[in-house]
Amino acid sequence: MKFLDKLEESLITLLIGMATLITFFAVVHRYMSGFAIPGLQDTLLSINMSWAQELTIILFVWMAKFGAAYGVRTGIHVGVDVLINRMNDSNRSKFIVFGLLAGATFTGIVSYMGAHFVWENGAHYAFYDLLGLDLNDVMEGPTTPDLEWPTWMVYSAIPLGTSLMCFRFLQVCLSFIRTGELPHHDHGHVDGLDDEVLPVDVALHGLDDNLHPHDLKHTTLGENRRTEDKPVAVDQRKEDLGGEPK
């Protein structure tokens, strides 16, 4: 899965980088065109940048769809888990699995409906035309206003990104069933800075913030007791957290 992870991250980076550069050059072009600089103004006015906003929107839509899948894999999505985190490990694990499977079901349905929409919106015509098949009664499909791209290519972000998100839900669910761990993103971490070595065993996977469901493998505070790869006992978790949740 490392190849898929790298591909996902590279695609998101490429999309947001392109959107940023296009927006930057479009803004510079627009404001510099207002200055009556001989030669430069005429050159800038001859350059058509009307497509920049449309392309930027398309890039951000694609980035958002694949970014949502990345968020599932890394645990970036924030949820309100006050009630779930007050449950014992057995009940909490059932609700976590249910939530992950519900997410996979929803994204699977959206992916199927999105694929059907894209097919009927012009992909049907494009593939039939590519293969030299009969195009009778097959709709060609609309195009975008500025770039005049087939809209089915733009809308393909829905089935592609959402199907990847569905796969990530199933991947996280299977990993949780096997190990009891959930992906967790430390919102206080800054990439590029050295990680601080904590004096005690503080599990970032089990932060008591009610923004992520607590998994079954990590405790929040206390000395290093995880000498064995097994879930933390309920009584031990309560002791580490200072008693029952308030």
Side-chain angles (χ1 to χ4, degrees):
M1 296 299 175
K2 290 185 178 180
F3 172 77
L4 182 59
D5 296 347
K6 289 294 184 181
L7 179 62
E8 180 183 58
E9 294 169 3
S10 300
L11 181 59
I12 295 171
T13 303
L14 177 63
L15 291 170
I16 193 171
M18 290 178 60
T20 303
L21 288 175
I22 292 172
T23 301
F24 171 77
F25 285 116
V27 171
V28 171
H29 173 269
R30 182 168 63 249
Y31 281 96
M32 291 299 294
S33 299
F35 293 98
I37 302 176
L40 178 62
Q41 186 178 46
D42 293 337
T43 301
L44 292 176
L45 290 175
S46 66
I47 300 175
N48 180 19
M49 293 287 292
S50 60
W51 50 267
Q53 181 177 6
E54 182 176 283
L55 181 56
T56 301
I57 292 173
I58 293 173
L59 291 172
F60 270 107
V61 169
W62 276 74
M63 181 197 64
K65 297 306 295 182
F66 284 94
Y70 173 82
V72 174
R73 174 169 67 89
T74 57
I76 290 177
H77 293 295
V78 175
V80 181
D81 302 301
V82 177
L83 295 179
I84 291 179
N85 288 339
R86 290 176 177 271
M87 298 178 180
N88 57 46
D89 287 353
S90 177
N91 289 332
R92 184 166 60 256
S93 64
K94 294 176 183 177
F95 274 90
I96 291 174
V97 171
F98 172 77
L100 292 172
L101 292 179
T105 301
F106 173 76
T107 50
I109 293 173
V110 173
S111 177
Y112 170 78
M113 297 178 65
H116 178 74
F117 175 77
V118 168
W119 181 256
E120 296 296 332
N121 200 55
H124 190 179
Y125 180 92
F127 281 100
Y128 271 40
D129 183 50
L130 179 65
L131 298 175
L133 301 177
D134 184 16
L135 297 175
N136 291 335
D137 300 326
V138 179
M139 183 181 71
E140 183 176 357
T143 59
T144 59
D146 296 324
L147 294 170
E148 297 184 352
W149 288 357
T151 55
W152 70 265
M153 297 178 63
V154 178
Y155 297 148
S156 294
I158 298 174
L160 293 177
T162 312
S163 59
L164 180 59
M165 193 175 182
C166 177
F167 171 75
R168 293 305 189 188
F169 271 119
L170 295 175
Q171 184 183 38
V172 171
C173 183
L174 182 60
S175 175
F176 176 75
I177 293 174
R178 287 178 175 177
T179 66
E181 289 187 272
L182 288 171
H184 181 86
H185 177 75
D186 179 15
H187 298 282
H189 175 73
V190 179
D191 291 335
L193 297 181
D194 294 334
D195 294 330
E196 180 183 0
V197 179
L198 301 175
V200 295
D201 186 21
V202 179
L204 298 177
H205 298 270
L207 293 176
D208 195 22
D209 54 6
N210 288 324
L211 297 179
H212 306 86
H214 296 168
D215 60 26
L216 305 181
K217 189 173 181 180
H218 300 90
T219 185
T220 303
L221 297 172
E223 300 297 333
N224 189 354
R225 304 183 184 90
R226 293 204 303 274
T227 57
E228 298 182 14
D229 187 14
K230 62 181 181 180
V232 179
V234 176
D235 293 339
Q236 184 64 66
R237 185 188 298 275
K238 292 179 181 179
E239 179 181 343
D240 290 339
L241 295 177
E244 293 287 348
K246 297 180 177 58

